[in-house]
């Protein structure tokens, strides 16, 4: 029960942080730069959401799921690749003229980084259960 509450707390804090980072609230923070403060809070929110997802999905807290933690690695890695590709498309959408000035400038860079990490992890799993598998 405690782990479930911790996952919910991380998720709520992550969503609240992301909402704050996309708002127009101006807080200078210790570095006296409102945009930098929003960026830091947004990064913390993304990290909290990731840790909440990890705890919810795998039942324990961690950072990188090992292949043994996945119930169906072949199917799950396909979903992770799809997630990464969708995130890359969202990044392209953020670069459209409608969103310029409405999302923080480094949002596209961060989303591309997250998408590439997700795709790289999923490709590693695909290769390790396929071509690079030690089973014969």
């Amino acid at each position: 029960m405690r782990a479930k509450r911790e996952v919910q707390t991380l998720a709520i804090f992550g969503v609240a942080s992301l909402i704050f980072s996309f708002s127009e609230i101006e807080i200078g923070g210790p570095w006296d730069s409102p945009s930098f403060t929003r960026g830091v809070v947004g990064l913390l929110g993304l990290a909290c959401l990731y840790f909440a997802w990890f705890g919810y999905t795998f039942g324990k807290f961690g950072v990188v799921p090992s292949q043994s933690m996945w119930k169906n690695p072949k199917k799950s890695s396909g979903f992770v690749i799809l997630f990464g590709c969708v995130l890359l498309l969202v990044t392209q959408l953020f670069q459209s003229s409608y969103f310029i000035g409405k999302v923080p400038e480094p949002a596209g860079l961060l989303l591309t980084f997250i998408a590439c990490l997700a795709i790289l992890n999923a490709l590693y799993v695909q290769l390790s259960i396929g071509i690079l598998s030690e089973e014969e």
Side-chain angles (χ1 to χ4, degrees), residues 71-109:
K71 291 178 185 167
N72 186 352
K74 186 170 184 122
K75 183 179 177 184
S76 298
S77 62
F79 286 130
V80 173
I81 289 174
L82 180 65
F83 166 76
C85 292
V86 167
L87 208 53
L88 287 174
L89 290 174
V90 168
T91 302
Q92 287 297 320
L93 180 68
F94 278 176
Q95 299 304 317
S96 70
S97 60
Y98 176 76
F99 285 102
I100 292 179
K102 295 183 180 182
V103 296
E105 288 182 26
L109 179 67

Side-chain angles (χ1 to χ4, degrees), residues 23 27 30 39 44 46 77 80 86 88 93 115 124 131:
S23 71
I27 298 175
L44 288 174
L46 284 174
S77 62
V80 173
V86 167
L88 287 174
L93 180 68
Y124 166 74
I131 297 172

Side-chain angles (χ1 to χ4, degrees), residues 9-131:
T9 303
L10 279 172
I12 290 169
F13 182 76
V15 169
S17 298
L18 283 180
I19 290 171
F20 169 78
S21 69
F22 283 96
S23 71
E24 296 296 324
I25 299 172
E26 300 284 329
I27 298 175
W31 32 76
D32 199 31
S33 174
S35 63
F36 188 76
T37 301
R38 286 195 330 254
V40 168
V41 171
L43 281 175
L44 288 174
L46 284 174
C48 287
L49 284 175
Y50 176 79
F51 292 136
W53 167 81
F54 194 99
Y56 176 78
T57 303
F58 299 110
K60 60 182 178 179
F61 288 101
V63 178
V64 179
S66 65
Q67 184 179 339
S68 62
M69 296 171 74
W70 297 35
K71 291 178 185 167
N72 186 352
K74 186 170 184 122
K75 183 179 177 184
S76 298
S77 62
F79 286 130
V80 173
I81 289 174
L82 180 65
F83 166 76
C85 292
V86 167
L87 208 53
L88 287 174
L89 290 174
V90 168
T91 302
Q92 287 297 320
L93 180 68
F94 278 176
Q95 299 304 317
S96 70
S97 60
Y98 176 76
F99 285 102
I100 292 179
K102 295 183 180 182
V103 296
E105 288 182 26
L109 179 67
L110 292 173
L111 291 177
T112 301
F113 178 67
I114 293 167
C116 289
L117 286 177
I119 292 170
L120 183 64
N121 179 272
L123 287 176
Y124 166 74
V125 170
Q126 288 278 337
L127 288 172
S128 64
I129 61 174
I131 297 172

